[in-house]
């Protein structure tokens, strides 16, 4: 690992760029519109340039070699294979010479594949440039503080302008919340943002004098999540807290498990009570209202049954990455007045789009995620153990949410998810600046020991000496 003195200006700029893209994509409607996505691609290109400059200055290519990067690159390559012409279709409407491809919609398969490539570049950047204890602390602090402020903004907007984002943009086909066009995306973002402080809290990594701040941030993010009315978000939040309770509990101590379970129940109770206090009873009744709406997207069972027909049509090679809506329309039993563009289940959609090949790629990614998670959680560094636990729980929550929605199709959600995966992988590594942190703590303790004990500093001195 590198020392601080060897960090180049290009390296620092690349890290800043990665932090900035997380905030930018979230605030600009989740980066779902083409002009914004174009900016994301330009940012990915700038990252590659900075990466090359950094490597040139060092005289060596700096790259994280984790195998968990392979699935995204493999999915991009398979998308490119799906648009390779294989002969021609029969004459249609007097038009001949139309190339035959594995994808039913080669244009969208090409666009989606390059989008995956851009995400792969950012993922490699997160893994490579979040490469010190100091940077891990910075990115965790950034996500926690921004999540808290963002949750406060979303709640405020809910009361002042519930149907318009920033009081300007109104989505005619979905229920917005925060800066996201779809409330389910907001819920997914909150699941991941609150996961890191939750992990630190459950692992005992938070100093006693800062626990109230962490609880306040977690509580506000949880309240905002419930007020969004996302049923998938609620299920994922409960799954996240349950997973974190089991992950951080001491297997040899029943009492520890009881305490962690009590903390989990108390936390859920506080979030529910807070959402009722802030948003009134309607903050919970919206879950029932969304279930009874006539919106076709709430009828998951119908969409999933049609998706299964799509899968059976091309189970091995798939219908084309990004071509789901074209494949779906052929088997849709409804009147077609309402267009279904996503399967509302990412696992089914991967199978429908990329076939068994895509499923194999997805399974390899999940295997890498779980393997790295259980390896990194064994780290002796208490703070990073909390970071790994939180990142693991946040990833788990998104994997649960993906059963009900397509949250990972939103750029901002994908980027935050990839950051959590990077923290999961890098959190189990030792870093040179760990020694610097220990030396600073030692100096503080030594200074406190020399201090004169008074009734005003006695308690503070004991707390710092415990470290």
């Amino acid at each position: 690992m590198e020392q601080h003195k060897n960090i180049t200006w290009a390296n620092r700029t690349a890290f800043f760029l990665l932090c900035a893209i997380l905030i930018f994509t979230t605030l600009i409607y989740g980066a779902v519109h083409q002009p914004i996505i174009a900016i994301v691609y330009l940012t990915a290109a700038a990252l590659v340039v900075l990466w090359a400059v950094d490597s040139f200055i060092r005289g060596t290519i700096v790259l994280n070699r984790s195998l968990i990067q392979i699935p995204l690159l493999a999915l991009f390559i398979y998308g490119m294979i799906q648009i390779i012409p294989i002969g021609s279709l029969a004459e249609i409407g007097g038009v001949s010479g139309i190339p035959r491809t594995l994808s039913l919609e080669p244009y969208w398969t090409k666009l989606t594949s390059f989008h995956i490539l851009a995400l792969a570049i950012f993922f490699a950047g997160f893994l490579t440039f979040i490469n010190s204890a100091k940077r891990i602390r910075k990115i965790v602090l950034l996500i926690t503080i921004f999540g808290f402020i963002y949750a406060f903004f979303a709640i405020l907007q809910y009361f002042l302008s519930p149907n318009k984002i920033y009081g300007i943009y109104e989505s005619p086909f979905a229920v917005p919340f925060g800066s996201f066009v779809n409330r389910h995306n907001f819920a997914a973002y909150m699941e991941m943002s609150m996961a890191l402080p939750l992990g630190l809290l459950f692992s005992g990594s938070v100093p006693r004098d800062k626990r109230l701040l962490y609880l306040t941030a977690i509580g506000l993010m949880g309240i905002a999540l419930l007020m969004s009315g996302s049923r998938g978000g609620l299920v994922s939040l409960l799954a996240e807290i349950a997973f974190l309770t089991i992950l951080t509990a001491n297997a040899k101590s029943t009492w520890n498990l009881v305490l962690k379970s009590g903390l989990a129940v108390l936390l859920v109770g506080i979030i529910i009570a807070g959402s009722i206090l802030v948003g009134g009873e309607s903050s919970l009744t919206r879950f029932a209202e969304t279930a009874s709406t006539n919106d076709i997207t709430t009828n998951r069972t119908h969409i999933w049954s049609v998706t299964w027909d799509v899968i059976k049509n091309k189970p091995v090679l798939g219908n084309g990455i990004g071509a789901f809506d074209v494949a779906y329309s052929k088997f849709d039993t409804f009147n077609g007045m309402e267009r279904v563009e996503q399967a509302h289940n990412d696992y089914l959609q991967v199978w429908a789009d990329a076939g068994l090949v895509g499923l194999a790629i997805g399974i390899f990614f999940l295997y890498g995620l779980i393997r790295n998670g259980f390896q990194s959680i064994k780290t002796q560094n208490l703070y990073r153990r909390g970071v790994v636990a939180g990142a693991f729980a946040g990833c788990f929550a998104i994997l649960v949410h993906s059963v009900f929605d397509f949250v990972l199709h939103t750029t901002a959600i994908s980027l935050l998810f990839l950051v959590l995966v990077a923290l999961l992988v890098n959190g189990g590594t030792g870093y040179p600046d760990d020694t610097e942190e220990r030396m600073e703590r030692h100096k503080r303790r030594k200074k406190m020991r020399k201090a004169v004990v008074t009734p005003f500093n006695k308690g503070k001195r004991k707390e710092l000496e415990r470290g």
Side-chain angles (χ1 to χ4, degrees):
M1 291 297 170
E2 61 188 356
Q3 300 289 344
H4 291 297
K5 63 182 180 180
N6 294 328
I7 297 178
T8 67
W9 65 266
N11 191 290
R12 291 190 178 91
T13 306
F15 178 70
F16 173 81
L17 203 63
L18 290 169
C19 293
I21 198 67
L22 288 175
I23 307 301
F24 174 76
T25 53
T26 304
L27 296 178
I28 310 299
Y29 311 119
V32 294
H33 301 98
Q34 291 303 322
I36 306 303
I37 292 176
I39 295 176
V40 173
Y41 295 163
L42 290 174
T43 305
L47 179 63
V48 172
V49 172
L50 289 169
W51 205 332
V53 172
D54 178 55
S55 298
F56 177 77
I57 294 174
R58 293 172 181 274
T60 182
I61 298 177
V62 181
L63 182 66
N64 188 297
R65 297 182 180 182
S66 175
L67 296 180
I68 202 167
Q69 302 171 81
I70 292 177
L72 280 178
L73 293 173
L75 200 58
F76 162 72
I77 293 171
Y78 186 59
M80 292 293 97
I81 292 173
Q82 286 184 319
I83 62 174
I84 295 176
I86 308 172
S88 300
L89 296 173
E91 184 175 312
I92 301 175
V95 179
S96 60
I98 301 175
R100 182 191 299 275
T101 60
L102 294 177
S103 173
L104 297 179
E105 182 52 79
Y107 175 76
W108 282 108
T109 297
K110 183 190 298 183
L111 285 184
T112 306
S113 297
F114 276 101
H115 188 79
I116 293 171
L117 177 61
L119 292 176
I121 292 172
F122 282 117
F123 187 33
F126 291 135
L127 286 168
T128 301
F129 294 108
I130 304 177
N131 58 352
S132 67
K134 185 177 181 180
R135 285 188 174 180
I136 288 177
R137 285 184 176 272
K138 282 184 177 181
I139 201 78
V140 170
L141 193 62
L142 174 69
I143 294 171
T144 303
I145 294 176
F146 177 73
F148 171 75
I149 297 173
Y150 184 56
F152 179 78
F153 154 75
I155 294 172
L156 191 64
Q157 180 177 262
Y158 169 78
F159 289 108
L160 299 178
S161 179
N163 298 319
K164 291 185 178 181
I165 302 173
Y166 303 130
I168 301 172
Y169 179 74
E170 184 173 6
S171 174
F173 305 110
V175 179
F177 206 89
S179 60
F180 287 99
V181 175
N182 190 310
R183 64 178 181 272
H184 303 298
N185 290 331
F186 174 84
Y189 198 88
M190 286 294 101
E191 293 160 18
M192 292 186 287
S193 297
M194 67 190 298
L196 292 175
L198 269 174
L200 293 171
L201 190 66
F202 271 70
S203 64
S205 308
V206 181
R208 185 175 300 177
D209 59 332
K210 295 181 180 179
R211 287 176 188 172
L212 183 58
L213 291 174
Y214 275 74
L215 283 170
T216 302
I218 293 167
L220 192 65
M221 285 187 270
I223 290 169
L225 188 155
L226 287 188
M227 290 181 66
S228 70
S230 171
R231 291 174 291 162
L234 174 60
V235 172
S236 302
L237 173 62
L238 297 176
E240 176 179 272
I241 295 176
F243 179 80
L244 197 53
T245 302
I246 298 171
L247 189 65
T248 58
N250 188 342
K252 298 180 181 179
S253 174
T254 305
W255 179 242
N256 183 266
L257 178 60
V258 171
L259 284 176
K260 291 288 175 66
S261 300
L263 176 61
V265 172
L266 179 63
L267 187 61
V268 172
I270 291 173
I271 291 174
I272 293 175
S275 64
I276 295 175
L277 180 65
V278 174
E281 294 182 0
S282 61
S283 60
L284 297 181
T285 57
R286 273 196 303 280
F287 291 106
E289 291 172 1
T290 55
S292 60
T293 181
N294 292 324
D295 186 356
I296 189 174
T297 61
T298 62
N299 192 353
R300 300 288 199 276
T301 53
H302 169 74
I303 296 176
W304 293 344
S305 65
V306 177
T307 301
W308 181 243
D309 292 333
V310 173
I311 291 172
K312 289 188 293 184
N313 184 50
K314 289 185 176 182
V316 179
L317 300 177
N319 296 274
I321 297 173
F324 178 81
D325 56 339
V326 177
Y328 185 93
S329 60
K330 178 181 178 181
F331 298 93
D332 191 4
T333 55
F334 280 6
N335 56 22
M337 293 295 292
E338 294 180 287
R339 184 181 180 88
V340 176
E341 297 183 347
Q342 311 291 346
H344 291 266
N345 182 308
D346 279 336
Y347 305 99
L348 289 178
Q349 186 157 346
V350 167
W351 195 352
D353 284 2
L356 291 176
V357 176
L359 274 186
I361 293 173
I363 291 171
F364 182 81
F365 178 81
L366 290 178
Y367 169 75
L369 180 69
I370 295 170
R371 182 172 178 270
N372 277 280
F374 283 113
Q375 284 182 343
S376 296
I377 199 70
K378 297 176 183 178
T379 179
Q380 296 301 310
N381 185 289
L382 181 60
Y383 176 81
R384 284 205 300 280
R385 194 187 311 156
V387 171
V388 171
F392 207 174
C395 292
F396 179 75
I398 290 300
L399 295 177
V400 172
H401 203 152
S402 294
V403 175
F404 311 102
D405 288 302
F406 51 97
V407 291
L408 285 175
H409 292 238
T410 303
T411 307
I413 305 297
S414 300
L415 288 173
L416 185 55
F417 176 76
L418 293 176
V419 169
L420 293 187
V421 178
L423 290 173
L424 184 74
V425 174
N426 292 350
T429 306
Y431 297 98
D433 52 339
D434 284 335
T435 305
E436 296 176 13
E437 290 185 352
R438 284 196 294 269
M439 290 178 63
E440 289 176 3
R441 287 198 298 268
H442 177 71
K443 288 179 181 178
R444 287 198 300 269
R445 291 172 187 167
K446 190 174 181 180
K447 187 176 181 180
M448 286 302 300
R449 289 191 186 100
K450 293 181 179 179
V452 177
V453 179
T454 69
F456 300 100
N457 68 6
K458 184 177 181 180
K460 185 66 175 179
R461 173 182 166 176
K462 288 183 177 180
E463 183 177 336
L464 288 177
E465 285 181 348
R466 287 195 299 268

